[in-house]
Each structure stands twice: as C-alpha cells, then as structure tokens.
C-alpha cells in the first residue's frame, strides 16, 4: 500500500526545501504550487477559467497570466480570493489526485504531497502522515523578505493572512523544526526518511 505523506507549513517555512531533500533521496513529489503554475499557462484549463472570471486585465502585455497582479488582488480582497478558490480549487484537486493515482499505479511505496493549503483544502484527510515544517515568526519574516524581496511590512501582511503556523503544528503528526541551519534540517529529514522506509 502506498503511503501518502502531506507536507505543509507557512509561507517560507521551508516546505520546498524539505521536499527537495526528499526528492533527492528518491521520493516522488506532488507539488501543489507547480500544479497551479502549470494550470495557469495559456491554453491550460486554469488559464481559460481565470480569464473568463476576471477578464483580460489579469494578463500581461505578452498574454501570460500576471501572477503577481492576481496574487495581489486575491491577497488584498477576500471576495476575489474566494472567487479565485472557487474557480481554481476543483481543477487543482483533480490534477493533484491524477498525479497521486498515477504514482500509486506505478507502485511507489510513498508519495510526498507538498501543499501550502493542505489543511485549508482538506488534503490532510487523505494523508497517512502529515508533516508540518515550522519556523518562528521572526525567522519566517526574515526568510520571506530575503526570498521574495519583500519589505518587512509586506512580509508581515502575507504571514498574518495565513492560518497560524501554531495551529498547523497542532494538527501535524510530525513537526520539523526549521529554525536551525540546513544541516539541522537535513538531520530531521533523514529521520523522517527512516520512518517512511520502515513502514
Ligand atoms: N534552515 C534554513 N536556513 C536558512 N535558510 C533556509 C532554511 N530553510 C529554508 N531556507 C530558505 O528560506 C526560504 C524559504 O524556504 P522555502 O523552502 O522556499 O519555503 P516554502 O516552500 O515553505 O515557502 C528559501 O529562500 C530557503 O532557501
Ligand atoms: Mg515552496
């Protein structure tokens, strides 16, 4: 039986860093952010739906989806965020489960689902193990500012708009503490790998 491992956390808590480490030791990753990105390419079903819903103003001059603009709109307006989810989440869910089912058919013993909205979109209900990558507020802000070139205020707004990381930690089967350096993170990932290989 294939084990489905949900991997989540807050923005810039280190999900992608952990999933990269797991990928390097051979675990297949279903990356929800990548799924969204692909669905939003011109010609893909997500792109069509978004243009139908929000109009041409969400496109760049080159006809690509202006992800930054859409992100800003969604982030600053709860109604837009709700519409965006209504339009996109069913497509995202179907694509994620298509990928999971293909990997199951291929006989993979474990699959990692890296999904920022794992709890919010209830993917945790389908997971055999839920792992939360956690950091303290200050580290999260500093890493987010450095990664995405945000001011402290912009970074705070984004962190504060999410489900609190402390709440996610309570819902986890396993919490990875990413307040240390990458070596300390690697050590914890190695322990997780051991656990996944023993079941
Ligand atoms: N232990 C760590 N020490 C220093 N920087 C880290 C550590 N873990 C992650 N980072 C950096 O923090 C940023 C956020 O990590 P990332 O994995 O992209 O987060 P997420 O996928 O959760 O948004 C990235 O720039 C990453 O390189
Ligand atoms: Mg990421």
């Amino acid at each position: 039986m294939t084990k489905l491992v949900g991997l989540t956390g807050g923005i810039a808590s280190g999900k992608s860093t952990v999933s990269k480490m797991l990928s390097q030791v051979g675990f297949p990753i279903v990356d929800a952010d990548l799924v969204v990105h692909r669905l939003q390419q011109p010609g893909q079903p997500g792109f069509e739906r978004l243009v139908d819903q929000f109009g041409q103003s969400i496109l760049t001059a080159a006809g690509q989806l202006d992800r930054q603009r859409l992100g800003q709109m969604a982030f600053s307006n709860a109604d837009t965020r709700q519409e965006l989810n209504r339009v996109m989440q069913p497509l995202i869910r179907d694509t994620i489960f298509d990928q999971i089912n293909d990997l199951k058919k291929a006989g993979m013993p474990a699959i990692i689902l890296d999904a920022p909205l794992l709890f919010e979109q209830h993917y945790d209900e389908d997971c055999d193990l839920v792992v939360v990558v956690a950091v303290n507020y200050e580290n999260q802000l500093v890493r987010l500012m450095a990664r995405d070139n945000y001011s402290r205020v912009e970074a705070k707004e984004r962190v504060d708009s999410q489900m609190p990381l402390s709440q996610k930690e309570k819902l986890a089967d396993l919490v990875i503490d990413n307040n240390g350096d990458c070596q300390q993170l690697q050590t914890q990932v190695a322990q997780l790998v051991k656990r996944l290989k023993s079941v």
Side-chain angles (χ1 to χ4, degrees):
M1 255 278 283
T2 306
K3 292 259 178 260
L4 182 60
V5 180
L7 181 66
T8 193
I11 184 169
S13 75
K15 302 176 293 293
S16 297
T17 307
V18 169
S19 72
K20 195 166 163 206
M21 288 174 179
L22 290 167
S23 165
Q24 278 164 352
V25 293
F27 287 96
I29 314 292
V30 175
D31 181 333
D33 277 343
L34 197 60
V35 164
V36 175
H37 208 281
R38 289 200 181 132
L39 283 170
Q40 293 179 342
Q41 294 303 309
Q44 296 300 309
F47 181 88
E48 313 294 339
R49 288 194 189 194
L50 289 170
V51 176
D52 283 350
Q53 184 65 38
F54 298 107
Q56 303 281 330
S57 71
I58 57 161
L59 301 183
T60 64
Q64 297 275 335
L65 183 76
D66 189 341
R67 287 166 54 85
Q68 227 171 350
R69 180 167 155 74
L70 187 64
Q72 189 61 46
M73 280 163 61
F75 165 69
S76 56
N77 183 315
D79 288 342
T80 308
R81 193 159 57 234
Q82 206 179 345
E83 278 305 289
L84 182 65
N85 279 335
R86 188 183 62 74
V87 167
M88 289 300 292
Q89 288 303 339
L91 264 184
I92 296 168
R93 170 169 286 272
D94 286 352
T95 310
I96 282 176
F97 277 103
D98 282 351
Q99 289 188 13
I100 289 171
N101 289 331
D102 284 349
L103 290 164
K104 278 187 179 170
K105 272 189 220 144
M108 292 295 169
I111 301 164
I112 314 298
L113 170 58
D114 175 350
L117 300 181
L118 192 91
F119 296 118
E120 295 86 335
Q121 295 297 329
H122 306 290
Y123 291 104
D124 57 314
E125 291 165 13
D126 290 284
C127 293
D128 299 289
L129 185 78
V130 172
V131 179
V132 167
V133 186
V135 279
N136 63 40
Y137 193 68
E138 185 57 26
N139 281 340
Q140 191 175 12
L141 287 184
V142 167
R143 288 178 190 169
L144 180 55
M145 289 189 285
R147 188 191 66 185
D148 291 349
N149 219 358
Y150 289 141
S151 68
R152 197 176 175 86
V153 170
E154 288 170 325
K156 262 190 168 167
E157 281 173 345
R158 278 158 182 82
V159 171
D160 293 346
S161 74
Q162 298 193 322
M163 182 195 282
L165 203 35
S166 57
Q167 200 178 330
K168 295 191 181 186
E169 285 179 59
K170 283 191 195 127
L171 297 169
D173 298 309
L174 175 74
V175 176
I176 291 182
D177 175 354
N178 191 20
N179 287 301
D181 60 20
C182 285
Q183 189 52 53
Q184 286 168 303
L185 183 62
Q186 185 81 63
T187 304
Q188 294 173 81
V189 172
Q191 281 162 1
L192 170 61
V193 168
K194 225 175 174 178
R195 178 167 171 178
L196 292 178
K197 287 191 169 159
S198 71
V199 289

